Amino acid sequence: MPDLLKVKDLKIAFQGSDESIEVVHSIDFSVSGGGETVAILGESGSGKSVTCLSLTNLLPPAPSCTVSGEILFAGQDILKMDAKALRQIRGAGIAYIFQEPSASLNPVFTVGYQIEEAVRLHRPDLSDAKARTVELLELVGIRDAAQRYRAYPHEMSGGMQQRVMIAMALACEPKLLVADEPTTALDVTIQAQIIDLLRELRSKLGMSIVLITHNFGIVKGFADEVLVMYQGDIVERGPVETVLSAPQHPYTKALIACIPKLGAKQHRLTTIDHEMAASQ
Amino acid sequence: MTAFILRRLLSLIPLLLGTSLLVSILMYLSPGDFLTQARAARDIPQEVIEQQERQLGLIDASGAPTRWFVRYGHWIANVAPIKYGPWVGAPEKGLHFGWPYFGESWTYQVEVFSLLKQRVPATFILSLTSITFAWCIAIPLGVLAALYKDSIFDRLSALLAYAALSIPEFFLAILAVYFASITGLFPEGGRSSVESEFYPWALQWVDYAYHLILPTLVLGVGSVAGMMRIMRANFIDYMRAEFANTARAKGLRERVIMFQHVLRNAINPLITSFGYSFASLLSGALLVENVMNYPGLGQLIFDALIREDQYVVMAGVMIGVVMLVLGNLVADLMLAWADPRIRNAQTGSSLSVGVGKTTWVWMALLAVLAVEILLEVIAPALLLQIGVGLKYIGILLAGLLAVACVALVGYIVYVLFKRLIGPVLRRPLGAVSIAILGVLYSAALLAPCLAPYPITEQNLDKAYHPPTGFVWKEGGLQAKLYAKQSLGSPVYKATGESLPVKLFAKTDPYYLWGFIAMQRTLFSLDPSVPNARLYLLGADDTGRDIFSRLLYGSRISLSIGFIGISITLILGFIVGSLAGYYGGTVDFFAMRFVELLMSIPALYLLLALRSALISPELSPGQVYMIIVVLLSVIGWAGTARIIRGMTLSIRNRSYVLAAESMGQSLPKILIKHILPNLASYLLVAATLSIPGYILAEAALSFLGLGISEPSASWGLMLKQSQGNMIVFFMNFWWMLVPGFAIFITVIAYNVLGDTLRDCVDPKMQVR
């Protein structure tokens, strides 16, 4: 399948009080259309969230933050687009779900209103936006969708809030879904449900996914390709099975070694020595 | 929702009962009564006075003075709508309904209710228009300042906001009337023109509106400034919120994101403050009404308080409380409508005063009262001795408390400042404010050295002397001499002669700070010409040098803020942190008491307490002490509440639990764990509260109820009331200088506080 998203030589720098700090040092990667799932793996501070926010130029504008390089989405460079074209891509071409659903939803508007906003924005041709919204709520597995339409975010549990976020993201059937640690704030059973939901939607809608996570359990069985990021660089990439079974880079090896194994007798959990990894 | 409203309205009953009782006690404690002036006049015979006393109910049939609680009992009986005759409130037998009767005004000889009917709507409309004006201006300005953060517009509006916040309200009112009389564009006061009764109805309303313009502006300006800063801060906070980014990711336009998503959230805290701003409006209205001659509730109460027209004061303060509680109720309802999270959790917000809860506190207070009444009946002389003794012990304790608090707070400030002084000085505004405050405090400390003349030195032949001009003659600076144009008029003209100005001139010996013997002052004229004076800023009505009085007055204004805030912080920290830490009964009682204090408009309470506690025989130092304590006590409530909230949130953090599990004692936990987390916030809050104390003292002195002659205080120096204030200030503009002194001090503190807050708040450091 042709490349839906192609990132070339992406550099992201933030302006500190005195000097500029580069947090992403020239990375390249690509995502094909039609359902490919790329997972970006890394610890806090590796630059993964910042990378995915830059995909539709959602980072603060210069001088606070400077993004350079090329981000080609369906052939067009996101970084060179004007505001109007960018707004059309956001939501309709690339959609997001974020880590903290309770903070990502506006507390003073109903969930129905917030989803409908997205629908109205990108599908003005739809005569009944409300019906579409209810349909979306049902699609993501929320029961009593018609009543839940009028609910406020604080009246829902974390899992349901995340489903609402997914519904909002899907409102316009985007080609690419960027999920920034969608399950980190949820407990394990809900985590599984959300991933299953994403899997189902991916096959139904043929939507590609960029998944940010630090959880190997999600990567395996859900993603096709994995990129390991460390301190602003992609240190290893490849198909999931290959990377997980035969990691090349010491950092990846150390990451995998950190996973506590059930049944193994470990006195101390393995940790990563940053000095060692940085020297590579 | 209806249950909530009903509960709030029901809570008014114990609150009003308590307030009327409190005011009644305070008036009883006030020295003298309504007929004091009459008694002092020589030409009113004793029998007439006695007859008046009988008529007013001050003495009973046998000639003995009535007890205050008996009078209060009668008053309650009249006020209650349900009467049970013939004992309670009505001559007819049995239970029946009667309209509440609030008594008669002794000054005006009309029913209190009809007086209130005239005055209350005036104040209410004024408050309403002020709030509307403030909101309409503050919200757009705040949003724009946030959107264009750090632009010229933002900085300019910030500067204007500081200025507006720092002008004492009564001073602004004076300037407004001054402006009105010079330009003739606005009426100089009052509520309606003299001819308005002949106007058709529609024109009458236009006339009212015309008279409302200046008072609204004066009252509203302070609110605009405060609200604008809050709006800006909230907006900036929510601009960075997660959901704003989500909205952006959906593809919404920036404009929609800002004005729909962000604004709808940012405005909620402002709605909460609506209740509080109503309270400060009622207090502010009192000052503005006085200066601008606007016949409202504030002016009525103030007048009545001075004259000790008892029933008017009681009813007036009660109305003030009602307006405050209703204002809070409206604010809570608005907040519930605006914020769905509160709507669902509406089991009674923290502002509400529940019916059952307050009654407990009243029970406790009633018990204390019962003891007092008993003593009064059995042994009145003993009670008097106890009262007087308590007062003096109280003053002594207050003095010790003040010293302790200042020392403690000084130490904390020193520790914190070492860390913060660098960032503060790096910001230009911070450096400027510290410089200004440094100059002011140094001048205050060195006042005797800088002031050419003592503050009590009068020169009646130099009354209203203008500021001295200077000439350069014979190689040195010389001061011009002036003489009156004609014997009767206070207009001066330069005579053409001048005397050399002497630096480090010799004066009468004095002690600096009580122990350093000095004999020189920074500048003066040669003492060889005994009647010549160098009035740098002119002289007042008895020929006292304004510059000298300004310097000595700065000692009072500058120290009151500092000492007052120290006491408030320590008291607030002790009570607030204990309430937050222990929760339960301690928290319950503490918070009920705090709510009580906050239910009465601050200035009303201040005036009433002051009337009760300050009697003529106290020395200026003792009066000063009492004022400081009064200010601290009233300001303490809000601080305690906030500290309690913060303690509650810190208390459950892991490190506190860890300390407890290790067996650390309570004071250690409070000081080592909770205090450092609060410290930065407290420092900022303190710096921003000091202006409030300075302004309150100035207001009190301006009304004649604070520091009194012959001491100097900036507020007192502005009180040259009697008669036509405006013509007066037009001719002798230099008398307004103390107002600007207050303004500069307050603005320096406000700017410093804001700068400190920026240094302490990590979020503000993101460019």
Side-chain angles (χ1 to χ4, degrees), chain A residues 151-229:
Chain A
Y152 287 95
H154 68 275
E155 291 169 339
M156 296 178 145
S157 69
M160 282 178 78
Q161 285 170 348
Q162 195 62 297
R163 289 175 195 267
V164 167
M165 284 291 293
I166 297 176
M168 207 156 64
L170 293 179
C172 315
E173 302 197 348
K175 303 208 178 53
L176 179 68
L177 179 71
V178 181
D180 188 351
E181 302 203 41
T183 53
T184 306
L186 307 170
D187 64 54
V188 181
T189 48
I190 310 293
Q191 200 168 293
Q193 289 176 13
I194 298 287
I195 296 295
D196 283 338
L197 176 63
L198 285 177
R199 193 177 287 132
E200 187 189 313
L201 294 167
R202 175 180 63 181
S203 60
K204 215 190 261 188
L205 303 169
M207 181 176 65
S208 298
I209 302 182
V210 172
L211 178 71
I212 315 266
T213 182
H214 55 251
N215 185 338
F216 280 103
I218 303 179
V219 173
K220 190 167 172 156
F222 183 63
D224 301 315
E225 191 181 327
V226 64
L227 308 168
V228 180
M229 277 189 80

Side-chain angles (χ1 to χ4, degrees), chain A residues 102-118:
Chain A
S102 53
S104 305
L105 291 170
N106 194 328
V108 296
F109 293 136
T110 59
V111 301
Y113 175 85
Q114 299 187 51
I115 299 178
E116 207 175 307
E117 213 179 11

Side-chain angles (χ1 to χ4, degrees), chain A residues 41-81:
Chain A
L41 214 65
E43 57 186 38
S44 314
S46 54
K48 48 192 208 301
S49 291
V50 166
T51 304
C52 82
L53 278 177
S54 71
L55 293 178
T56 50
N57 219 349
L58 281 175
L59 292 166
S64 184
C65 178
T66 19
V67 182
S68 63
E70 248 182 26
I71 302 179
L72 296 169
F73 178 73
Q76 290 175 296
D77 189 351
I78 299 263
L79 297 174
K80 292 196 180 44
M81 274 188 201

Side-chain angles (χ1 to χ4, degrees), chain B residues 733-751:
Chain B
W733 53 267
W734 54 91
M735 310 280 270
L736 288 174
V737 169
F740 289 105
I742 300 179
F743 173 63
I744 292 183
T745 312
V746 169
I747 209 179
Y749 266 115
N750 276 329
V751 172

Side-chain angles (χ1 to χ4, degrees), chain B residues 153-177:
Chain B
F153 173 78
D154 184 24
R155 294 199 196 277
L156 206 67
S157 61
L159 225 63
L160 281 177
Y162 286 135
L165 275 173
S166 310
I167 300 190
E169 248 158 357
F170 59 88
F171 187 57
L172 189 62
I174 295 177
L175 290 177
V177 182

Side-chain angles (χ1 to χ4, degrees), chain A residues 17 53 58 64 87 90-91 96 98 103-109 113-114 117-118 121-122 152 154-155 168, chain B residues 242-243 245-246 248-253 256 260-262 264-265 268 338-341 343-344 766-767:
Chain A
S17 46
L53 278 177
L58 281 175
S64 184
R87 279 202 304 269
R90 287 177 183 163
Y96 284 80
F98 292 110
S104 305
L105 291 170
N106 194 328
V108 296
F109 293 136
Y113 175 85
Q114 299 187 51
E117 213 179 11
L121 194 62
H122 295 291
Y152 287 95
H154 68 275
E155 291 169 339
M168 207 156 64
Chain B
E242 278 286 328
F243 62 78
N245 222 15
T246 309
R248 200 168 290 130
K250 281 200 294 209
L252 286 171
R253 310 178 86 107
V256 173
Q260 269 203 334
H261 286 257
V262 175
R264 272 291 269 112
N265 276 281
N268 290 347
D339 192 339
R341 290 170 290 188
R343 212 181 295 162
N344 294 344
V766 174
R767 231 160 282 262

